[in-house]
Amino acid sequence: MSETEMAQAEQLSPNAATISAESSNLSPEELEKLTENIVGALKTVYDPEIPVDIYELGLIYKVDLDDNRNITIDMTLTAPGCPVAGEMPIWVENAVASVEGVQDVKVNMVFDPPWDQSRMSEEAMVALNWW
């Protein structure tokens, strides 16, 4: 990932996943627009027990985009025993698949490293009044 891409990801949310593209056939403008739209889609998915979207909660660890605009997402849950563990990856897949230009979406559930509150953005902390 280039320094520009990392800086863009940092601006979106300090603890959010970076979106990396191994693709050389996307212009910087296309990558920026796709990144914005993917983040926007991720921000429509909420943990039903916490009134904050999964992106700001820091549940998205990694988003990879390949040459064919296929997306692979590594995500976690706030706790391994989360009641929507089987459903949330499907919500994420459907949200990101709705982004124009995205071909296929694969969501991997990972628990290493385990999620903790330090992954939350300032926006999430304010929303939850966790200062």
Side-chain angles (χ1 to χ4, degrees):
M1 175 177 276
S2 73
E3 287 182 36
T4 303
E5 290 169 332
M6 287 192 290
Q8 288 170 343
E10 186 70 21
Q11 289 173 352
L12 294 170
S13 180
N15 299 316
T18 55
I19 297 179
S20 63
E22 297 174 10
S23 176
S24 59
N25 63 359
L26 287 178
S27 70
E29 295 80 18
E30 288 176 298
L31 180 58
E32 182 178 347
K33 181 174 172 66
L34 201 51
T35 298
E36 265 182 41
N37 292 340
I38 290 169
V39 169
L42 291 168
K43 290 173 73 75
T44 67
V45 180
Y46 283 75
D47 183 314
E49 296 177 337
I50 305 172
V52 176
D53 69 77
I54 62 169
Y55 187 81
E56 295 299 334
L57 276 175
L59 298 182
I60 303 299
Y61 284 178
K62 182 171 75 169
V63 179
D64 286 328
L65 169 66
D66 73 11
D67 283 342
N68 297 316
R69 296 177 183 242
N70 297 312
I71 307 288
T72 303
I73 299 170
D74 288 352
M75 69 169 291
T76 195
L77 301 169
T78 55
C82 178
V84 294
E87 298 168 37
M88 194 174 295
I90 296 166
W91 300 342
V92 171
E93 181 180 324
N94 290 338
V96 175
S98 73
V99 172
E100 184 178 337
V102 168
Q103 296 303 311
D104 186 48
V105 180
K106 179 181 178 192
V107 178
N108 300 315
M109 189 62 66
V110 297
F111 294 100
D112 187 29
W115 178 87
D116 65 46
Q117 295 174 2
S118 70
R119 295 198 49 85
M120 292 175 19
S121 69
E122 285 183 20
E123 179 181 318
M125 295 175 96
V126 167
L128 295 172
N129 201 22
W130 286 7
W131 286 103

